[in-house]
């Protein structure tokens, strides 16, 4: 099991410490998103817009996509690619959305 080799944490691990019992539960998804976006490594769900948003936030934080994966094994390392997007890709977040968006510099697709 993965927990034998890694320190895995869940929102419930901080429920009492953070006083989450007093918080509107509708905020839990937003809290999960913020925490996941700053994790050392992230594994999300293929075709999930929630996962896509977390990956976009990770990109804005300057984190490499080489530390993000999908749980669906045939697409596990799809975040490690930066393809040219020429189709409707609603559930993905490509580096085009955060790398060099505030500059005229053209980023390298070899390092992201």
């Amino acid at each position: 099991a993965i927990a034998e080799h890694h320190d895995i944490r869940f929102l419930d691990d901080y429920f009492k410490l953070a006083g989450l019992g007093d918080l509107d539960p509708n905020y839990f998804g937003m809290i999960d998103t913020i925490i996941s976006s700053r994790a050392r490594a992230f594994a999300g769900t293929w075709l999930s817009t929630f996962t896509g948003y977390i990956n976009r936030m990770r990109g804005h934080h300057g984190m490499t996509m080489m530390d993000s994966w999908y749980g669906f094994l045939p697409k596990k390392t799809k975040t490690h690619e930066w393809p040219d997007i020429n189709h409707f890709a609603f559930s993905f977040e490509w580096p085009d959305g955060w790398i060099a968006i505030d500059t005229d510099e053209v980023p390298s697709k070899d390092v992201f």
Side-chain angles (χ1 to χ4, degrees):
I2 196 167
E4 294 174 13
H5 306 284
H6 299 279
D7 183 20
I8 299 176
R9 300 185 184 180
F10 298 92
L11 187 58
D12 286 347
D13 297 333
Y14 302 96
F15 207 84
K16 188 174 181 180
L17 176 68
L20 297 177
D22 299 328
L23 188 65
D24 181 338
N26 290 314
Y27 293 128
F28 290 169
M30 289 180 268
I31 293 169
D32 278 339
T33 301
I34 293 166
I35 292 169
S36 298
S37 74
R38 299 298 283 183
R40 181 176 50 84
F42 173 71
T45 303
W46 176 249
L47 295 179
S48 163
T49 53
F50 186 70
T51 291
Y53 181 60
I54 291 168
N55 277 327
R56 182 178 356 141
M57 288 179 68
R58 291 174 64 79
H60 282 294
H61 292 312
M63 302 176 87
T64 176
M65 287 296 102
M66 300 303 172
D67 291 328
S68 290
W69 297 271
Y70 291 116
F72 181 53
L73 293 180
K75 303 293 184 180
K76 179 180 176 180
T77 58
K78 201 69 171 165
T79 60
H80 302 179
E81 302 171 12
W82 186 355
D84 291 325
I85 305 304
N86 58 7
H87 61 280
F88 185 64
F90 69 93
S91 62
F92 305 105
E93 296 295 340
W94 306 110
D96 304 78
W98 60 80
I99 294 182
I101 61 172
D102 295 326
T103 179
D104 293 332
E105 185 179 323
V106 177
S108 167
K109 288 194 173 191
D110 297 327
V111 180
F112 62 96

